[in-house]
Amino acid sequence: MTRGVKLVIVCLLFVGLISACGVKSKEDVSSALNKKIEELKGYKVNAKMTIKTAEEPHVYEVEIWHKKPHYYRVLLKNDDRDQSQIILRNDDGVFVLTPALNKSFRFQSNWPQNSSQAYLYESLVQDILKDKEAKFEVGEKNYVFETKTNYQNNQMLPYQKIAFHKKNLTPSYVKVMDVDRNALVSVEFSNFESNPKFDKNAFEIEKTMSNAQVDIPVLAQSANKQFAVLYPLKEDLPEGVDLVQEKELNTDSGKRVVLTYGGEKSFTLIEELAEVSPVTSSEFVSGELVDLGFAVGALTDNSLTWTYNGVDYMLASNELTQKEMIAVARSVQSKSGK
């Protein structure tokens, strides 16, 4: 036997030994994830989402239900129970429910297909499959990918690190990162249940709203109808933009605060107490559903609206891009951003 033949045999034996030990390549794991998603009929999973801010981290509980082909129920809840919102998709469309206000909003949207979703299993797998340059590493307990994101504001959050449990390929954690690969949004998954049984009306608006209001009572409006004014963080404003005027107005529903920003670009931010509907109401929202992390908003070419902690916010500008509006809105969680 020649030396060359011996070398080939040794190499083949080495490759076989690696395969026998269960070492997986990026292609192997990607293919297995794709197969699992295709075979999965639905799932329930809980997650803890942490959003890093300049002041202190904000932590949210997320409960996700998915049933093929297009049924979704995503509950977003923080320590302040009044802030809970539910994203619901069924045969009638995409809805955002705010149980504490007794309101639901209908969007003309193809959510969740329109962008990355850090807490949806199939969205994470699709991001991996789309990114041919995705990085891959094998950890002690997880398979870990680093991919590009597909957010509307992906210039601010361009990368994500996604980990799956080796044992069953269910999601373990996600870290959404900035250009310097600092994790600004972290999601930790728990209690993954494959192919659960759902009640017939599990994704209906009325049933979802009534069930939510058992745990999240309708908000009682305060007698003085006051609220704390929140400001965008300075570091998240476009360069050369500052607060130039703050005006408080009295309305029938309480106070309204108008913040005017100017400089290189201008925009207006209006804040006022959200009205609680006496009966369950639903209205159509013009704009695309956008996930701000702490709340769900409606985005158009010139405005972004959302509700947070019982207060309605509207950001309007003819000069900011949509990505800039999203960046500013994400930072409106501070009382000291002036």
Side-chain angles (χ1 to χ4, degrees), residues 4-140:
V5 173
K6 289 181 180 179
L7 184 60
V8 170
I9 292 173
V10 171
C11 289
L12 289 174
L13 288 173
F14 182 68
V15 171
L17 181 62
I18 292 177
S19 299
C21 291
V23 175
K24 301 288 186 180
S25 67
K26 181 175 78 170
E27 291 72 23
D28 291 334
V29 179
S30 298
S31 178
L33 284 167
N34 189 35
K35 182 179 179 182
K36 187 174 181 69
I37 289 296
E38 288 179 348
E39 295 176 349
L40 200 63
K41 295 179 181 179
Y43 61 85
K44 290 182 179 180
V45 65
N46 296 101
K48 182 177 77 172
M49 181 168 63
T50 303
I51 300 176
K52 185 179 179 181
T53 69
E55 294 186 327
E56 61 182 19
H58 294 267
V59 180
Y60 300 84
E61 296 175 26
V62 190
E63 183 181 74
I64 305 103
W65 294 1
H66 172 47
K67 178 184 176 182
K68 282 187 176 178
H70 54 250
Y71 301 101
Y72 289 91
R73 174 189 173 277
V74 178
L75 170 64
L76 300 162
K77 181 173 65 176
N78 68 355
D79 292 336
D80 183 349
R81 297 169 68 87
D82 293 340
Q83 177 44 33
S84 299
Q85 287 186 307
I86 299 170
I87 307 174
L88 192 71
R89 179 168 180 172
N90 56 30
D91 291 331
D92 296 321
V94 178
F95 302 84
V96 174
L97 281 58
T98 307
L101 299 179
N102 212 20
K103 293 179 180 178
S104 68
F105 304 89
R106 181 177 180 178
F107 288 78
Q108 186 67 39
S109 173
N110 63 349
W111 182 93
Q113 284 78 28
N114 56 340
S115 70
S116 297
Q117 308 294 334
Y119 40 72
L120 295 185
Y121 186 18
E122 61 282 5
S123 176
L124 297 171
V125 174
Q126 287 303 313
D127 284 347
I128 290 170
L129 297 176
K130 288 177 183 177
D131 189 354
K132 304 304 180 185
E133 299 177 355
K135 298 177 183 178
F136 175 74
E137 61 183 79
V138 180
E140 183 179 349

Side-chain angles (χ1 to χ4, degrees), residues 41 92 126 130 163 170 247 262 277 282 299 335:
K41 295 179 181 179
D92 296 321
Q126 287 303 313
K130 288 177 183 177
T170 58
K247 184 183 295 186
S277 178
S282 181
L299 178 68
K335 297 178 183 178

Side-chain angles (χ1 to χ4, degrees), residues 29 33 45 118-121 124-125 127-128 135-147 160-177 185-190 192:
V29 179
L33 284 167
V45 65
Y119 40 72
L120 295 185
Y121 186 18
L124 297 171
V125 174
D127 284 347
I128 290 170
K135 298 177 183 178
F136 175 74
E137 61 183 79
V138 180
E140 183 179 349
K141 296 181 180 180
N142 298 316
Y143 296 118
V144 184
F145 292 84
E146 184 179 306
T147 78
Q160 59 187 345
K161 187 169 284 189
I162 309 168
F164 301 93
H165 295 290
K166 283 183 176 180
K167 184 177 180 180
N168 52 18
L169 296 181
T170 58
S172 175
Y173 66 82
V174 178
K175 296 182 184 296
V176 187
M177 302 175 289
V185 180
S186 300
V187 182
E188 298 176 17
F189 295 92
S190 62
F192 191 95

Side-chain angles (χ1 to χ4, degrees), residues 121-259:
Y121 186 18
E122 61 282 5
S123 176
L124 297 171
V125 174
Q126 287 303 313
D127 284 347
I128 290 170
L129 297 176
K130 288 177 183 177
D131 189 354
K132 304 304 180 185
E133 299 177 355
K135 298 177 183 178
F136 175 74
E137 61 183 79
V138 180
E140 183 179 349
K141 296 181 180 180
N142 298 316
Y143 296 118
V144 184
F145 292 84
E146 184 179 306
T147 78
K148 298 173 185 175
T149 64
N150 182 36
Y151 292 112
Q152 288 126 318
N153 59 328
N154 64 350
Q155 289 181 346
M156 187 173 74
L157 298 169
Y159 307 111
Q160 59 187 345
K161 187 169 284 189
I162 309 168
F164 301 93
H165 295 290
K166 283 183 176 180
K167 184 177 180 180
N168 52 18
L169 296 181
T170 58
S172 175
Y173 66 82
V174 178
K175 296 182 184 296
V176 187
M177 302 175 289
D178 62 16
V179 291
D180 297 318
R181 286 178 168 75
N182 298 310
L184 300 186
V185 180
S186 300
V187 182
E188 298 176 17
F189 295 92
S190 62
N191 305 320
F192 191 95
E193 181 182 356
S194 298
N195 303 321
K197 290 185 178 180
F198 293 102
D199 292 339
K200 184 178 180 180
N201 54 7
F203 299 93
E204 292 181 359
I205 292 179
E206 293 80 6
K207 184 66 174 180
T208 301
M209 182 73 87
S210 61
N211 285 347
Q213 288 174 340
V214 172
D215 297 322
I216 309 165
V218 174
L219 182 66
Q221 297 282 28
S222 59
N224 58 11
K225 299 184 178 181
Q226 298 298 301
F227 58 89
V229 181
L230 302 186
Y231 304 87
L233 295 174
K234 287 185 178 181
E235 54 265 38
D236 291 318
L237 294 175
E239 188 174 353
V241 175
D242 292 293
L243 179 66
V244 295
Q245 186 181 60
E246 177 174 344
K247 184 183 295 186
E248 183 174 320
L249 307 172
N250 292 318
T251 68
D252 293 339
S253 58
K255 74 175 181 180
R256 174 184 297 157
V257 176
V258 181
L259 306 176

